[in-house]
């Protein structure tokens, strides 16, 4: 063997260019035997010496002769054997010389390879530096172009201004000529068409995105349009694809399911998405005792239950004697109510009958109902009471009213009502069936973050955005909005690259309303588009935190692809990594992504935190932001802009007339003219100003006459002054000074708070205020657009409303916000002293103390371990860090103080519950320190958490798995992968034993292990674990629902069920079909089958057996049977549906292709490949006619048909189909798209089976290069919900890697 000393000196570091770790060069020990030399043996000289001795002495004794002869013979034998050994060793020497030469040759080859790799590395580094230089040059050129464009734009704007001035001069001259009596030629009066100018309507189709509405008929020249058509049955996740309003909605995608729900039911009651459990209590004088006991004794318990689950609880009741004066308020509260409780004995009044009939008999939204009936001997039911009960019984066809029939004491009756209410809240409202309702001290459930893996985020932030969007959508559209929607469509569909689109306008011009209506319209017309929207509230509120906004967007993107790990908690990294996440995930999303941020200029340091907006966007991503004209950053004014103009006189009249009509008020001609003359300036024809003006006039009966209100309003020349007048008007409408004082105080408290105050908190802060009076006050303020309820909190509807309150009652009234902040601090500190740490305390108290500049008190509140835990577990990491930075503590000091607080708290912990809470605090501290970048300090609290749980609970308790998981994450951060793997495996074993193999906790451990294997380059193991994790998460989502989607779907199912109890009609059959689909989405397949069967039977009776709607029902039922593995029934129904559609629809109709595809899939699944071939061929033909021969959807059909031919061993027919599909994919999607890689892999397998090993190896190598170049989502490649693993797109599984051809 040779030596490596000539290549690398010992101790030098060799870099492994293949990704391995660096090693140290060492000498290779090589043994080389010296040339053998034959030495004369002493035995050969021996005889001669002896012989000489004999000859010289001549006295040889004869007795030695025999010994001599014997020795000579032994010597000869020994000599021969040694000669043989020498010959054998010479042969071995020759063989070793040959081996040595071979190894030297290999060593020289390795040396050449190493030198080549070094040269490649140097060239790669040089290329990298050149790319960096080119990037710097590009950046310089881009800045130069931007400056040139700015100069060009300013020049053109100046020219436009000059043209406008010239136009005005010409118009003035024209008016002068007309005034002098000179007749001016008007082209409209001409009979000739030559003078007419053709006007092109907006919304015409463009080359890239479809015009008018996104997602309409595709345009073949566009990549964006190609991707829009991807969402469809062939890429659906689930085994079942249903038709109707929920077509292509997967149970794995609850956001899409909720969107489809809102399309079917555009008006969703506020009770469905409100964060407050509003209990509307209807009682009589006879049941007043039960009502008082329930409110005083049991309401606090229900409030604690709801607060522990992150909701508010509020009792709403109107005293029977004064209910008539609150007619409008009662109607509004019934509309907003979550659950209704009716307490009856024998008699009722008219107000009780009205409320009961509205809530119990009409009840359009199917909300929970509880009827308490106190039966006492000798007190029979009166006639009106009996009639009311009969109406309720007749309306309760589904037997959903919970009846409490009681004849005992009021205390026992109140307890029974509480028992029913607890069940209703847990099971029907909050969806914690069978869960423990006791609130946690921390205000967070232990497993609250489980479904999101290691990513912590706040569901209240999501709820806030959902409510903001729903409230805007439920608002009536203002006149002229459609023209802006058309223009917005045209701007969004412009060919890429497209910078962010700017929607600008003055305060209150309707930007939020426009964006909400546009999103609603696009969600209906473009189900393939992913919308990420955020409505920014007032400055300094949680909704204006840039880190939380970007984190929410990132989490929504990751949820969309079933991967939630790998998201950094560090604020700077969240902002920095979002563009990369957007680029990676947009490449995987088979459709468009639109990011909408409303009022982006309300974010502090917008330009610094939103730098990603100025970078080029991915080709299928659009960004739309709205700004105030005055506060728009200068650099953004170059973007394409849609400016909202003031309302025209016609639109002003329309708004005022609509408000007057709604309130049944008729203005005189003179009043209308006054309003028309007044609303002509830019500030008085603003949309918000006109709406507020109309509402003040229609609400004038509260305090002033219409004439006085109109006179006062006409003195206000801007929105701010009009708001201040509205506040005065509301104050005058209140009856007593105490009510006026309470209103002033309440508005000042809202103004001083961080995010607003809840109704329950208002009642606590102002004990003299009763619920009816609060309801009336909020109704008036909401009517005048001053306040609104959002996420259960009273907030200002517009920034101008808050500013008007500040000017009128705070600065202008001689008071300051400081006193009201102090009042709120005292209130929340009182809750802390009672060990009630809810999300509201954690949100408000630290912020209030920071605004008060009370650093010492702020530090004490942060050292309340449950406050910090609440903020951290809800994902407000950046906010918590900012508080500590404001206090002036560095990371190490912060960690030490938390440790000291925990040690003090540990001394007071007793019992299993206390120790469990302590372990949770230690775990939170460890995670917090890990996210701070202090892994060495994070180990101690995590180990302590593990010790406590193993000691206080059980070594196999699921909580132990939590501690093991977090401790392993620290070891991963330390790169101690062996320790981390062992801990992860222990956590996985505990979770599987505790929950079973298909629980979300198991998915979390699998995903963590997959990430670990990915870091260790063990890609195959990582991929297997990741796929299993994704399957578990998808199944869990089907069972539990996602966010608030499951509750919405269940409510909608109840509403639809009420509608199906009438006569047989086509609409009723359609509703039954919707209901079956909804039950499918809830994973209730039995109920889905019942309703889909009823829909089919009713359609056959009403429409006839050959109607296309019957084919829809058959198709849905066949899909359901297919999922239940009832293949014979599924096949029969698919064939019947196909027969109907062939006769009723055109040959290229999408519904026909849909049925063809699924029937072919079923044939293939059942092994009937010959029957599947003509169906796939027909499906291919339909797609070619519909989309053209070069559409990706056609390529998918080609691949499916080719795979089928391969299964039939018709390789010759499969090969051209694969090759054609490959060309289509490469031309339409690019040569590095994942679908190209899949097709290459299929071609490689086919070539291998045909015996063309070299071609197979080449194709497989290229397929692997595409896969490796694919952007990795944390661990491996996260599956798109449209990926080819679902639906009818599949690939042949061949040997991997392709083996070398035999020699």
């Amino acid at each position: 063997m040779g030596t490596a000393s000539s290549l690398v000196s010992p101790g030098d570091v060799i870099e492994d260019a293949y990704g391995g770790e660096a090693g140290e060069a060492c000498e290779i020990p090589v043994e080389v035997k010296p040339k053998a030399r034959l030495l004369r043996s002493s035995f050969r000289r021996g005889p001669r010496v002896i012989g000489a001795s004999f000859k010289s002495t001549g006295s040889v004794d004869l007795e030695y002769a025999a010994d001599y002869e014997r020795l000579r013979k032994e010597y000869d034998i020994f000599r021969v054997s040694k000669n043989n050994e020498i010959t054998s060793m010479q042969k071995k020497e020759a063989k070793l010389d040959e081996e040595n030469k071979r190894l030297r040759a290999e060593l020289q080859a390795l040396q050449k390879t190493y030198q080549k790799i070094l040269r490649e590395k140097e060239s790669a580094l040089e290329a990298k530096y050149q790319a960096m230089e080119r990037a710097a040059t590009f950046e310089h050129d881009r800045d130069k172009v931007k400056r040139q464009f700015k100069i060009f734009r300013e020049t053109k704007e100046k020219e436009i201004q000059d043209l406008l001035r010239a136009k005005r001069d010409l118009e003035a001259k024209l008016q002068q000529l007309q005034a002098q009596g000179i007749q001016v030629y008007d082209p409209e009066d001409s009979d000739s068409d030559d003078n007419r100018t053709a006007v092109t309507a907006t919304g015409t189709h463009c080359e890239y995105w479809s015009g008018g509405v996104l997602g309409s008929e595709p345009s073949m020249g566009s990549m964006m349009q190609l991707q829009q058509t991807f969402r469809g049955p062939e890429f659906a996740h689930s085994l079942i694809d249903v038709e109707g309003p929920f077509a292509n909605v997967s149970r794995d995608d609850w956001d899409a399911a909720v969107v489809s729900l809102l399309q079917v039911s555009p008006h969703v009651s506020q009770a469905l998405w409100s964060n407050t459990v509003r209990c509307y209590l209807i009682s009589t004088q006879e049941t007043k005792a039960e009502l008082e006991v329930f409110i005083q004794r049991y309401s606090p318990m229900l409030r604690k239950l709801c607060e522990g689950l992150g909701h508010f609880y509020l009792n709403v009741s109107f005293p029977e004697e004064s209910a008539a004066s609150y007619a409008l308020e009662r109607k509004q509260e019934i509309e907003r109510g979550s659950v209704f409780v009716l307490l009856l004995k024998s008699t009722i009044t008219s107000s009780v009958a009205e409320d009961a009939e509205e809530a119990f008999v009409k009840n359009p939204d199917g909300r929970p109902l509880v009827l308490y009936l106190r039966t006492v001997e000798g007190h029979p039911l009166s006639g009106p009471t009996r009639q009311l009960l009969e109406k309720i019984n007749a309306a309760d066809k589904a037997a959903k009213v919970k009846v409490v029939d009681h004849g005992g004491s009021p205390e026992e009756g109140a307890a029974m009502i509480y028992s029913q209410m607890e069940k209703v809240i847990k099971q029907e409202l909050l969806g914690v069936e069978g869960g423990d309702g006791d609130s946690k001290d921390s205000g967070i459930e232990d497993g609250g973050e489980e479904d999101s893996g290691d990513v912590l985020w706040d569901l209240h932030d999501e709820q806030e955005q959902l409510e903001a969007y729903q409230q805007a959508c439920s608002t009536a559209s203002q006149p002229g909005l459609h023209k802006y929607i058309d223009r917005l469509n045209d701007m969004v569909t412009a060919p890429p690259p497209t910078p962010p689109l700017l929607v600008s306008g003055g305060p209150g011009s309707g930007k939020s309303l426009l964006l909400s209506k546009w999103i609603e319209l696009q969600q209906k017309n473009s189900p393939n588009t992913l919308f990420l929207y955020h409505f920014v509230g007032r400055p300094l509120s949680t909704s204006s935190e840039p880190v939380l906004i970007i984190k929410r967007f990132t989490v929504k993107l990751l949820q969309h692809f079933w991967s939630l790990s790998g998201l950094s908690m560090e604020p700077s990294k969240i902002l920095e990594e979002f563009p990369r996440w957007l680029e990676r995930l947009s490449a995987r999303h088979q459709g468009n992504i639109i990011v909408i941020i409303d009022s982006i200029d309300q974010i502090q340091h917008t330009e610094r935190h939103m730098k990603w907006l100025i970078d080029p966007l991915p080709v299928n991503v659009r960004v739309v932001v709205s700004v105030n004209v005055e506060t728009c950053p200068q650099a953004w004014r170059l973007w394409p802009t849609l400016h909202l103009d003031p309302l025209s006189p016609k639109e002003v009249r329309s708004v005022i007339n609509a408000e007057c009509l709604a309130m049944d008020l008729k203005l005189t001609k003179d009043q209308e003219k006054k309003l028309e003359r007044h609303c002509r300036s830019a500030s008085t024809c603003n949309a918000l100003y006109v709406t507020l003006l109309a509402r003040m006039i229609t609400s004038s009966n509260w305090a002033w006459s219409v004439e006085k209100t109109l006179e006062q309003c006409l003195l206000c020349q801007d929105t701010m002054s009009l708001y201040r007048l509205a506040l005065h008007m509301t104050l005058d409408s209140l009856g007593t000074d105490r009510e006026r004082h309470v209103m002033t105080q309440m508005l000042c408290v809202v103004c001083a708070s961080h995010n607003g105050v809840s109704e329950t908190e208002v009642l606590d802060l102002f004990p003299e205020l009763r619920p009816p009076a609060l309801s009336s006050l909020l109704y008036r303020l909401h009517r005048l657009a001053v306040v609104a309820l959002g996420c259960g909190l009273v907030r200002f509807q517009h920034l101008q409303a808050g500013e008007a309150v500040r000017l009128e009652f705070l600065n202008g009234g001689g008071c300051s916000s400081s006193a009201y902040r102090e009042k709120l601090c005292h209130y929340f500190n009182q809750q802390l002293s009672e060990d009630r740490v809810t999300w509201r305390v954690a949100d408000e108290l630290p912020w209030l103390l920071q605004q008060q500049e009370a650093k010492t008190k702020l530090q004490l509140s942060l050292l309340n371990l449950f406050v910090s835990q609440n903020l951290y577990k809800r994902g407000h990491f950046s906010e918590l860090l900012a508080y500590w930075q404001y206090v002036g503590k560095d990371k190490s000091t912060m960690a030490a103080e938390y440790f000291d607080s925990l040690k003090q708290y540990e001394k007071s912990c007793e019992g299993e519950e206390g120790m469990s809470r302590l372990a949770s605090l230690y775990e939170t501290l460890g995670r917090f320190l890990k996210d701070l970048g202090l892994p060495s300090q994070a180990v101690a609290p995590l180990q302590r958490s593990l010790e406590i749980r193993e000691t206080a609970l059980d070594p196999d308790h699921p909580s132990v798995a939590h501690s093991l998981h977090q401790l392993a994450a620290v070891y991963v951060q330390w790169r101690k992968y062996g320790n981390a793997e062992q801990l992860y495996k222990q956590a996985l074993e505990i979770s599987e034993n505790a929950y079973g193999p298909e629980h979300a906790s198991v998915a979390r451990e699998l995903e963590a292990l997959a990430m670990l294997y990915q870091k260790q380059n063990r890609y195959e193991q990582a991929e297997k674990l990741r796929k299993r994790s994704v399957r578990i998460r998808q199944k869990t989502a089907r069972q539990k629902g996602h966010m608030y989607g499951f509750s919405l779907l269940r409510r909608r199912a109840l509403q639809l069920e009420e509608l199906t109890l009438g006569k047989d009609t086509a609409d009723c059959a359609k509703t039954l079909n919707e209901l079956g689909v909804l039950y499918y989405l809830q994973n209730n397949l039995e109920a889905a089958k019942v309703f889909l069967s009823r829909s089919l039977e009713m359609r056959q009776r009403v429409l006839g057996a050959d109607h296309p709607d019957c084919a829809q029902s058959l198709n849905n039922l066949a899909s359901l049977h297919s999922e239940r593995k009832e293949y014979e029934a599924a096949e029969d129904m698919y064939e019947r549906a196909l027969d109907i559609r062939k006769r009723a629809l055109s040959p290229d109709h999408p519904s026909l292709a849909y049925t063809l595809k699924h029937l072919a899939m079923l044939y293939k699944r059942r092994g009937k490949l010959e029957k599947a071939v003509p169906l796939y061929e027909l499906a291919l033909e339909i797609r070619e006619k519909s989309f053209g021969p070069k559409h990706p959807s056609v390529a998918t059909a080609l691949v499916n048909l080719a795979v089928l031919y391969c299964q039939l061993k018709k390789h010759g027919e499969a090969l051209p189909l694969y090759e054609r599909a490959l060309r289509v994919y490469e031309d339409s999607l690019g040569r590095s798209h994942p679908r190209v890689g899949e097709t290459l892999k299929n071609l490689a397998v086919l070539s291998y089976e045909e015996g063309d090993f070299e071609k197979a190896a080449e194709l497989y190598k290229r397929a692997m290069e595409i896969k490796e170049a694919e952007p990795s989502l944390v661990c491996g490649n996260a599956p798109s919900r449209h990926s080819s693993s679902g639906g009818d797109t599949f690939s042949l599984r061949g040997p991997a890697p392709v083996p070398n051809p035999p020699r």
Side-chain angles (χ1 to χ4, degrees), residues 746 759 773-783 787 794:
M746 183 191 75
E759 295 167 275
L774 174 63
S775 180
S776 176
L777 179 58
L778 291 178
Y779 171 78
R780 296 175 186 224
L781 292 172
H782 182 269
R783 171 73 186 151
V787 300
V794 179

Side-chain angles (χ1 to χ4, degrees), residues 125-145:
L125 287 173
E126 185 179 354
K128 175 185 175 184
Y129 294 139
Q130 290 175 356
M132 291 173 66
E133 289 176 3
R134 288 196 301 271
T137 306
F138 171 76
E139 196 75 23
H140 174 74
D141 293 343
R142 188 179 70 171
D143 293 340
K144 181 180 177 182
V145 169

Side-chain angles (χ1 to χ4, degrees), residues 153 480 483-485 487-488 491 501-507 509-511 514 625 627-630 632 637 639-646 682 686:
R153 176 171 176 167
K483 64 182 179 183
Y484 296 118
I485 289 177
R487 287 168 60 188
L488 192 56
M491 294 171 70
L501 308 176
L502 211 61
V503 177
S504 70
S509 56
K511 301 182 291 293
L514 169 65
V625 298
V627 294
N628 199 338
V629 175
E630 292 83 3
C632 177
R637 296 179 185 268
W639 294 346
T641 303
L642 174 63
H643 184 75
L644 302 190
D645 299 320
N686 174 283

Side-chain angles (χ1 to χ4, degrees), residues 558-569:
L558 292 175
Q559 273 190 333
H560 197 69
F561 292 90
W562 300 102
S563 175
L564 281 176
S565 298
L567 180 63
S568 172
M569 291 290 289

Side-chain angles (χ1 to χ4, degrees), residues 1164 1169 1202-1211 1290 1292:
K1164 183 157 57 64
L1169 302 181
V1203 172
L1204 199 59
Y1205 280 142
C1206 286
Q1207 291 178 338
L1208 290 168
K1209 304 300 179 184
K1210 297 180 180 180
H1211 296 160
F1290 46 88
L1292 290 170

Side-chain angles (χ1 to χ4, degrees), residues 883-1099:
Y883 289 143
W884 277 109
Q885 289 172 348
Y886 176 78
V887 171
K889 300 292 183 181
D890 59 13
K891 295 179 181 180
S892 301
T893 309
M894 184 196 326
E897 294 196 9
Y898 271 130
F899 267 119
D900 294 340
S901 297
L902 262 175
K903 292 294 183 186
Q904 291 294 325
Y905 179 77
E906 188 170 356
K907 295 177 183 178
S908 62
C909 287
E910 296 178 356
E912 182 178 318
E913 184 179 352
M915 297 306 290
S916 298
R917 195 179 298 121
L918 176 65
S920 177
L921 290 171
Y922 269 117
E923 181 187 305
T924 302
L925 177 58
R927 296 178 69 177
F928 180 59
L929 295 176
K930 176 176 73 73
D931 291 334
L932 281 174
L934 302 172
S936 58
Q937 298 185 43
V939 170
L942 290 173
Q943 286 180 337
R944 180 62 182 143
S945 170
L946 179 60
E947 292 170 6
I948 293 171
R949 283 172 171 165
E950 286 181 335
T951 306
L953 300 174
D954 185 78
D956 294 329
H957 194 275
S959 297
V960 175
H962 278 271
S963 296
L964 290 168
H965 178 93
Q966 300 303 334
L967 190 57
V970 176
Y971 284 129
V972 170
Q973 196 170 352
W974 261 357
R975 297 183 179 276
K976 296 184 177 181
Y977 297 142
N979 296 348
E981 182 177 0
Q982 183 180 359
L983 294 174
Y984 277 140
K985 286 182 175 178
Q986 290 180 24
L988 177 61
E989 183 181 356
I990 293 172
S991 297
E992 286 181 330
N993 292 335
Y995 299 121
E998 294 187 342
H999 192 268
S1001 295
V1002 176
R1004 180 172 67 169
E1005 304 305 334
L1006 290 169
E1007 196 166 305
L1009 264 175
M1011 285 183 62
L1012 180 62
Y1013 290 153
Q1014 184 83 5
K1015 292 178 184 292
Q1016 295 175 296
N1017 299 328
R1018 297 157 67 179
Y1019 300 112
E1020 190 172 345
Q1021 293 171 278
E1023 184 73 9
K1024 288 180 181 177
L1025 295 178
R1026 186 194 57 76
K1027 285 182 177 178
R1028 184 183 164 198
S1029 169
V1030 168
R1031 283 196 299 270
I1032 294 173
R1033 286 197 183 280
Q1034 292 168 354
K1035 188 169 183 178
T1036 306
R1038 295 185 194 127
Q1039 294 169 349
K1040 293 176 61 178
H1042 174 255
M1043 294 285 292
Y1044 301 90
F1046 188 74
S1047 176
L1048 284 170
L1049 291 174
R1050 180 165 46 192
R1051 283 299 176 79
R1052 178 59 179 158
L1054 294 174
Q1055 296 175 27
L1056 293 176
E1057 200 168 340
E1058 297 285 344
L1059 300 175
T1060 60
L1061 302 175
K1063 298 180 180 179
D1064 288 0
T1065 61
D1067 288 339
C1068 188
K1070 180 182 176 183
T1071 303
L1072 285 167
N1073 182 69
E1074 293 178 19
L1075 193 55
V1077 174
L1078 277 168
Y1079 276 114
Y1080 159 74
L1081 290 172
Q1082 298 175 33
N1083 211 41
N1084 189 344
L1085 301 184
E1086 289 295 334
K1089 181 180 178 182
V1090 170
F1091 286 103
L1092 289 174
S1093 301
R1094 284 180 59 193
S1095 172
L1096 174 62
E1097 294 168 1
M1098 190 176 293
R1099 280 173 166 170

Side-chain angles (χ1 to χ4, degrees), residues 241-247 1066 1069-1074 1077 1092 1095-1096 1099 1103 1105-1120 1133-1134 1136-1138 1140-1141 1145 1151 1154-1155:
D241 284 327
V242 292
E243 294 189 331
F246 295 89
K1070 180 182 176 183
T1071 303
L1072 285 167
N1073 182 69
E1074 293 178 19
V1077 174
L1092 289 174
S1095 172
L1096 174 62
R1099 280 173 166 170
L1103 303 172
D1106 294 333
H1107 195 276
D1109 285 357
C1110 295
Q1112 184 193 59
S1113 295
L1114 285 166
N1115 213 92
N1116 287 346
L1117 271 171
S1119 300
L1120 194 66
M1133 290 186 172
Y1134 273 136
R1136 288 165 60 190
L1138 181 61
I1140 293 173
R1141 286 181 165 172
L1145 304 176
S1151 295
Y1154 179 91
T1155 307

